[in-house]
Amino acid sequence: MTTADAGSWQADEEEPRGPVGKAFRLSAADSLSLGNAVCGFLAVCVLAYSAIQQLQVDGGRFTPEPSYFATAIVLLLIGATCDLFDGLVARRFRASAMGAELDNLADVISFGFAPAFMVVIWGGFTPQVPFTAVLAAAAAVLVAGVVRLARFACVKTKSGDFMGLPIPMGAMTVISIVLLFQPSVWSLAAVLGVAWLMVSRIEYPKPKGQLAAVVLGWIMVNVAFLTVWVAWPQGGDLPIKIGASMQIALVAAIPLRVLFYKREQRKEAARIRIGH
């Protein structure tokens, strides 16, 4: 290859692809995606601040403070609300050329890295489980989330539903486990189970119409419960425990329903073959 060829090749690679002017314009939906990313970043900062502050005060001992967890989770739920609305806004108004990429990058921060960091803060300072096991579970959440988002961008199901547990729902389920249970081998196994569901082939229904309204209502109710929990900790943990239990039950019930449905389909197909 000649020098001229090399120069031409480099110039071609450096040339921007697509309309540069449009790529730099942020739409209303992009602002929501960026808000989602900021909420995820602030959630991590809140958790890191709680650890740093307590380690400084208590001379190296750290016990996760529920109020900081609640604040971080409120931020993540606000991020989830932004994530829910950015697609609706993009369809209703103009979508920018980089909207899908911004959405995925924001989801990695809020629903991949932030829950993984929460798992480390929750289980990394207790003698009940090895620190390496906690890191492995947290890394599984992050890696599963990244793979889930990459696959979502490349693979479309025939039914239009989600293949694998959507990453916002996966993140909320990991958070529910953190809220309900103490660090143990079994709770870490549950976190790994959620990571597996995110990269599984189980189809989860896509929120549309009334289902989307129900999902949004569920998020708003949980934000209200968590806000009450932060403002009035003397009121007890019952509201958030109910919400976390409902989240885990929902995520566990959907794959069970899919398995029963497929088994019924196989039985029906077998009856048809025998009848013929």
Side-chain angles (χ1 to χ4, degrees):
M1 183 168 61
T2 64
T3 305
D5 291 335
S8 175
W9 173 76
Q10 290 175 351
D12 289 341
E13 286 297 310
E14 291 172 358
E15 285 183 2
R17 300 175 182 177
V20 177
K22 291 183 179 180
F24 281 101
R25 296 174 189 166
L26 292 176
S27 66
D30 295 336
S31 299
L32 290 172
S33 296
L34 294 174
N36 178 18
V38 170
C39 285
F41 168 72
L42 292 176
V44 172
C45 289
V46 166
L47 293 172
Y49 175 76
S50 71
I52 293 169
Q53 185 184 51
Q54 192 168 353
L55 287 171
Q56 288 175 339
V57 172
D58 293 346
R61 293 188 303 274
F62 173 70
T63 303
E65 178 61 40
S67 62
Y68 285 105
F69 268 77
T71 304
I73 296 165
V74 167
L75 288 166
L76 292 182
L77 285 170
I78 294 172
T81 305
C82 292
D83 184 60
L84 180 64
F85 273 111
D86 63 4
L88 299 174
V89 172
R91 286 189 291 271
R92 179 66 178 82
F93 302 101
R94 179 180 59 86
S96 73
M98 55 183 177
E101 286 73 16
L102 278 177
D103 186 36
N104 281 345
L105 290 171
D107 285 351
V108 168
I109 297 171
S110 291
F111 309 128
F113 179 69
F117 189 76
M118 187 174 292
V119 170
V120 174
I121 295 294
W122 163 69
F125 297 89
T126 59
Q128 284 85 354
V129 288
F131 184 65
T132 52
V134 176
L135 283 182
V141 171
L142 176 61
V143 170
V146 172
V147 172
R148 172 71 182 77
L149 289 169
R151 190 174 66 183
F152 174 74
C154 302
V155 179
K156 302 299 179 185
T157 60
K158 293 181 180 179
S159 63
D161 293 333
F162 296 114
M163 181 183 291
L165 181 66
I167 185 172
M169 191 178 290
M172 293 304 133
T173 309
V174 169
I175 291 168
S176 298
I177 294 170
V178 168
L179 288 174
L180 286 177
F181 304 106
Q182 293 296 319
S184 68
V185 173
W186 297 109
S187 53
L188 288 180
V191 170
L192 290 173
V194 175
W196 176 81
L197 284 175
M198 283 195 282
V199 295
S200 70
R201 294 179 179 272
I202 298 172
E203 292 188 7
Y204 283 78
K206 183 176 291 187
K208 299 175 184 177
Q210 291 183 348
L211 182 58
V214 170
V215 171
L216 178 61
W218 178 87
I219 292 174
M220 293 295 100
V221 168
N222 277 274
V223 169
F225 279 154
L226 283 164
T227 304
V228 171
W229 188 35
V230 174
W232 295 282
Q234 66 274 15
D237 298 339
L238 183 60
I240 188 55
K241 286 184 177 179
I242 293 174
S245 300
M246 290 175 61
Q247 170 68 18
I248 295 173
L250 176 66
V251 170
I254 292 176
L256 290 175
R257 177 69 185 89
V258 170
L259 290 175
F260 286 133
Y261 176 72
K262 289 185 176 180
R263 188 174 68 177
E264 291 298 323
Q265 280 188 321
R266 287 194 295 268
K267 288 182 178 179
E268 184 65 25
R271 281 197 295 267
I272 292 173
R273 285 196 300 268
I274 292 172
H276 286 292

